[in-house]
Amino acid sequence: MIEEGSKRGKAMVEKRQLFMEMRAQNFDVIRLSTYRTACKLRFVQKRCNLHLVDVWNMIEAFRDNGLNTLDHNAEINVSRLETILSSIYYQLNKRLPTTHQINVEQSIGLLLNFMVATYDSESHGKLTVFSMKAMLATMCGGKIVDKLRYIFSQISDSSGVMVFAKFDQFLREVLKLPTAVFEGPSFGYTEHSVRTCFPQQKIMLNTFLDVLMADPPPQCLVWLPLMHRLANVENVFHPVECSYCRSESMMGFRYRCQQCHGYQLCQSCFWRGHANGPHSNQHQMKEHSSWKSPAKKLSHAISKSLGCVPIGEPPHPVFPEQAERPQELTHTVQPKPVANNMNDTMLMSSGAPTPTKSVLESPSRLDEEHRLIARYAARLAAEAGNSTQQCPPTDLSFNFDANKQQRQLIAELENKNREILQEIQRLRLEHEQASQPTPEKAQQNPTLLTELRLLRHRKDELERRMSALQESRRELMVQLEGLMRLLKDEEQKQASQSGGSPHSSPSHGAGCSMPMPIRSTSAGSTPTHTPQDCLAGVGGDVLEAFAQGVPRNLRNDLLVAADSITNTMSSLVKELHSVDDGGEEEETNMRNGGDRGTVRVQKH
């Protein structure tokens, strides 16, 4: 009980501390309620260090803590709210450089007590999810167009049309902020606020942005764009003397009277209603957020008169009304995790799915958030590539340094991603070249192609020569068969004449019956008929030589045939000598079916 009481006492002290510091700034002396409200909310934003948390980091924190899976009317207790704020600030310290670290515990305590005082006035100890989203998305850093796009994604239906009941709920929640800084009578919620802002029936995204970013915006939200303009001009320097306080330079806004020539006031004098000389507070004043030298003004006026500069620039870019298709990530290389935990943000900016997936939110809301993240990442990359952009002094641009480091980190990761994709493409081309078939490689190498042609030509030549040799061998054996037939006929004829002469040699018949193949030397001609045709009508000896289709040793066949023919001729001569002793000449004609000529044997 004592510990709980001490916590409550500490919370009350922290709650009073923020408002006491705000009163010490003496914002109530500001004459106009719009500037007074914007200055107070800007003070709360900076005191709680919310200006260092970009809207995209806030959306990421909502997803990491599972808020996108909860209904807008769901309630969360203060302890869970403290956990969510802790994750936001600890992630912020990881992104900031070590020289610009913030006091996390103090920031959590101040923001937690401000949110409880604003949205839990009856001390229930609970806040709705939509209240927390509306407050944090409005009070965080970033561009107003990005905030409004995120808010529209929360109050629109699946077809991208704004739901008036949800916009009414948003006005109820966001207008509690001016009430919390004691400006409720000027910017309190009324039942007619919605129709005052949007008299139309169907509101799309671009119409929503046109109305809320118009000049002037709706009266109930006029402080919202002014708070963003205050953040943009805090470090703007004007080398002009104030006509009232005589300060030689101005910081922030500069106001020029439209009636009094050369009369200019700094923002402090204008906000407090100071005036001197012929100038009056009733005169119309023009607000300037930057300084241009007379030379630049002259060149701009000339360019504008010549039509080189557009006269009216749109307050925001035109966005597509329909949901965009999801990005193709098949060949995208994921960036490596870095020390400042920017990997989750990079995954969201590249369109990759986040760990927590919404199951209750509408598809248009998720698509809108993804489009916001993707466009923001592309804008950061473009700004990082602009090397000519000048940076304000370090001591005056705390949040700019942090954003600059984030842009540099994103640019480095994108360059690394681009290099990895190029390396993957190069390796893919090398793999395709290595996997090409052999004929394509031969076409790329003329020497190899020439060698292949020569080898094929040599192979064909050898096959033709082998075929010619085989055919010549068959022809010679056919001729040998005819000669053997003639020898057998002569032997039978001599045997019949001698009547079985004893001088007949028994080895004669054996020699005649032996196959005697003879090979011709004319192998250059190519046969015009098949081997089966060449062996037609051939005797048994030749058929036996080629019965199995296996070629024999040609050299051995020739030697054996030559010996057989020599023996046969010798036996024939001896037989003729033994038969005819009187020197009578005998002529024997032997024919072989017209294949060869006549053989004459003379006895001397």
Side-chain angles (χ1 to χ4, degrees):
M1 295 294 294
I2 298 177
E3 183 179 357
E4 184 178 356
S6 62
K7 288 184 178 179
R8 291 181 179 177
K10 182 180 179 181
M12 293 298 295
V13 171
E14 291 177 348
K15 178 180 178 181
R16 289 194 299 268
Q17 176 186 354
L18 180 62
F19 290 102
M20 289 175 61
E21 292 179 359
M22 185 177 63
R23 289 192 182 95
Q25 300 295 321
N26 201 18
F27 291 123
D28 291 330
V29 300
I30 299 177
R31 181 171 56 96
L32 301 175
S33 60
T34 303
Y35 287 96
R36 190 168 59 245
T37 305
C39 289
K40 289 181 179 180
L41 293 177
R42 174 63 178 169
F43 172 79
V44 174
Q45 182 190 47
K46 295 180 65 177
R47 189 65 183 85
C48 297
N49 290 315
L50 278 176
H51 67 294
L52 301 177
V53 183
D54 195 84
V55 61
W56 309 109
N57 302 128
M58 194 64 71
I59 296 173
E60 180 186 4
F62 293 160
R63 290 180 175 274
D64 291 343
N65 289 277
L67 296 182
N68 58 332
T69 62
L70 300 177
D71 188 74
H72 283 170
N73 296 322
E75 293 183 343
I76 58 174
N77 53 30
V78 177
S79 61
R80 184 174 180 185
L81 175 60
E82 185 177 3
T83 303
I84 296 172
L85 298 181
S86 300
S87 65
I88 293 173
Y89 283 113
Y90 279 112
Q91 292 296 328
L92 172 63
N93 251 357
K94 292 181 180 180
R95 293 190 296 268
L96 293 177
T98 55
T99 57
H100 293 81
Q101 297 289 304
I102 64 172
N103 189 338
V104 175
E105 297 297 333
Q106 184 182 19
S107 301
I108 294 173
L110 292 175
L111 181 57
L112 179 63
N113 287 286
F114 179 77
M115 294 182 67
V116 171
T118 304
Y119 295 100
D120 189 23
S121 58
E122 298 181 1
S123 301
H124 293 302
K126 293 182 179 179
L127 279 74
T128 63
V129 173
F130 189 73
S131 299
M132 186 180 62
K133 282 186 174 183
M135 186 272 174
L136 293 178
T138 304
M139 294 294 293
C140 67
K143 289 188 174 183
I144 184 173
V145 62
D146 299 330
K147 294 182 180 181
L148 294 178
R149 290 183 66 194
Y150 173 72
I151 292 171
F152 185 82
S153 69
Q154 302 295 305
I155 62 175
S156 59
D157 57 12
S158 58
S159 59
V161 179
M162 187 189 75
V163 180
F164 280 90
K166 292 185 177 180
F167 179 70
D168 182 75
Q169 184 182 3
F170 167 72
L171 285 182
R172 290 175 184 269
E173 303 299 337
V174 78
L175 290 179
K176 291 180 182 179
L177 293 174
T179 304
V181 293
F182 314 107
E183 297 295 336
S186 301
F187 302 103
Y189 171 79
T190 62
E191 296 180 356
H192 305 287
S193 299
V194 176
R195 288 302 173 183
T196 303
C197 296
F198 298 104
Q200 303 92 337
Q201 295 297 326
K202 184 177 181 181
I203 306 300
M204 305 296 287
L205 173 60
N206 291 311
T207 307
F208 180 80
L209 296 178
D210 290 339
V211 172
L212 296 187
M213 297 182 65
D215 187 17
Q219 181 59 31
C220 61
L221 295 174
V222 68
W223 52 269
L224 181 58
L226 180 57
M227 185 179 69
H228 288 81
R229 294 205 308 271
L230 281 174
N232 294 331
V233 301
E234 284 182 348
N235 301 319
V236 175
F237 177 78
H238 303 269
V240 181
E241 182 182 12
C242 179
S243 299
Y244 183 83
C245 66
R246 300 302 176 184
S247 176
E248 296 182 355
S249 60
M250 303 180 189
M251 294 293 294
F253 286 119
R254 175 172 55 90
Y255 297 89
R256 176 186 291 272
C257 181
Q258 301 299 299
Q259 299 180 17
C260 304
H261 177 70
Y263 191 87
Q264 300 186 90
L265 293 177
C266 63
Q267 68 177 17
S268 179
C269 294
F270 175 76
W271 289 352
R272 286 162 174 80
H274 295 162
N276 60 349
H279 178 70
S280 171
N281 290 332
Q282 304 302 321
H283 292 179
Q284 185 179 3
M285 303 290 287
K286 185 176 182 180
E287 183 183 275
H288 295 273
S289 58
S290 61
W291 163 256
K292 291 182 180 180
S293 63
K296 289 185 178 180
K297 291 181 181 179
L298 179 61
S299 63
H300 182 78
I302 295 174
S303 300
K304 188 175 181 180
S305 62
L306 295 176
C308 300
V309 177
I311 298 176
E313 296 181 358
H316 64 86
V318 179
F319 300 101
E321 303 291 353
Q322 301 297 330
E324 298 177 354
R325 294 181 179 180
Q327 298 180 358
E328 176 64 30
L329 299 174
T330 306
H331 304 291
T332 303
V333 179
Q334 297 282 356
K336 295 182 180 180
V338 292
N340 60 356
N341 202 19
M342 283 290 291
N343 54 342
D344 294 338
T345 305
M346 292 303 298
L347 288 175
M348 294 178 65
S349 65
S350 63
T354 53
T356 307
K357 182 176 178 60
S358 174
V359 295
L360 297 178
E361 291 185 324
S362 61
S364 66
R365 183 181 303 164
L366 297 180
D367 294 339
E368 179 66 17
E369 292 180 2
H370 283 294
R371 290 202 303 269
L372 295 178
I373 295 169
R375 291 181 182 276
Y376 181 68
R379 182 174 61 82
L380 286 182
E383 291 178 0
N386 187 7
S387 59
T388 60
Q389 183 178 4
Q390 296 182 353
C391 300
T394 305
D395 53 349
L396 299 178
S397 57
F398 182 21
N399 57 341
F400 184 81
D401 291 341
N403 292 333
K404 180 181 178 181
Q405 287 196 357
Q406 293 178 7
R407 290 195 297 269
Q408 291 177 353
L409 178 61
I410 292 174
E412 292 175 1
L413 291 175
E414 288 181 346
N415 292 333
K416 187 64 176 178
N417 187 23
R418 193 178 300 108
E419 294 175 0
I420 294 176
L421 290 176
Q422 292 176 356
E423 182 67 17
I424 291 175
Q425 185 66 19
R426 185 184 63 82
L427 293 176
R428 185 179 297 152
L429 292 176
E430 292 181 358
H431 177 70
E432 292 177 356
Q433 293 177 358
S435 61
Q436 289 180 354
T438 305
E440 297 181 2
K441 293 183 179 179
Q443 293 178 2
Q444 298 177 358
N445 191 347
T447 304
L448 182 59
L449 183 60
T450 304
E451 293 180 356
L452 289 175
R453 290 176 179 174
L454 292 176
L455 289 175
R456 292 194 186 98
H457 181 71
R458 181 62 176 171
K459 177 185 176 183
D460 296 340
E461 182 180 355
L462 292 176
E463 290 178 350
R464 289 194 299 269
R465 185 167 180 81
M466 178 62 71
S467 177
L469 291 175
Q470 291 288 345
E471 186 61 26
S472 299
R473 179 172 180 266
R474 291 187 179 91
E475 291 179 355
L476 291 176
M477 296 193 67
V478 169
Q479 296 176 8
L480 179 60
E481 181 67 19
L483 182 59
M484 292 173 62
R485 189 179 298 110
L486 292 174
L487 292 176
K488 287 182 179 180
D489 293 341
E490 182 64 23
E491 179 182 7
Q492 294 176 0
K493 182 178 180 180
Q494 293 295 332
S496 61
Q497 290 178 2
S498 60
S501 175
H503 298 285
S504 299
S505 176
S507 62
H508 181 266
C512 294
S513 64
M514 182 183 297
M516 295 177 293
I518 301 176
R519 182 168 184 155
S520 174
T521 57
S522 61
S525 61
T526 302
T528 58
H529 51 274
T530 60
Q532 288 80 2
D533 298 335
C534 295
L535 297 177
V538 179
D541 294 333
V542 179
L543 288 177
E544 182 182 357
F546 288 91
Q548 302 298 330
V550 180
R552 299 184 180 184
N553 194 326
L554 300 180
R555 184 176 180 181
N556 294 336
D557 291 345
L558 291 174
L559 293 176
V560 171
D563 293 340
S564 178
I565 292 174
T566 303
N567 295 332
T568 305
M569 293 299 295
S570 300
S571 301
L572 180 59
V573 171
K574 291 180 180 178
E575 185 67 23
L576 292 177
H577 276 287
S578 61
V579 173
D580 192 3
D581 294 332
E584 184 180 24
E585 181 180 296
E586 181 181 83
E587 183 180 280
T588 305
N589 294 328
M590 296 178 290
R591 299 182 182 275
N592 189 18
D595 291 336
R596 291 293 181 267
T598 304
V599 179
R600 293 178 179 270
V601 181
Q602 293 182 353
K603 178 75 168 55
H604 296 280

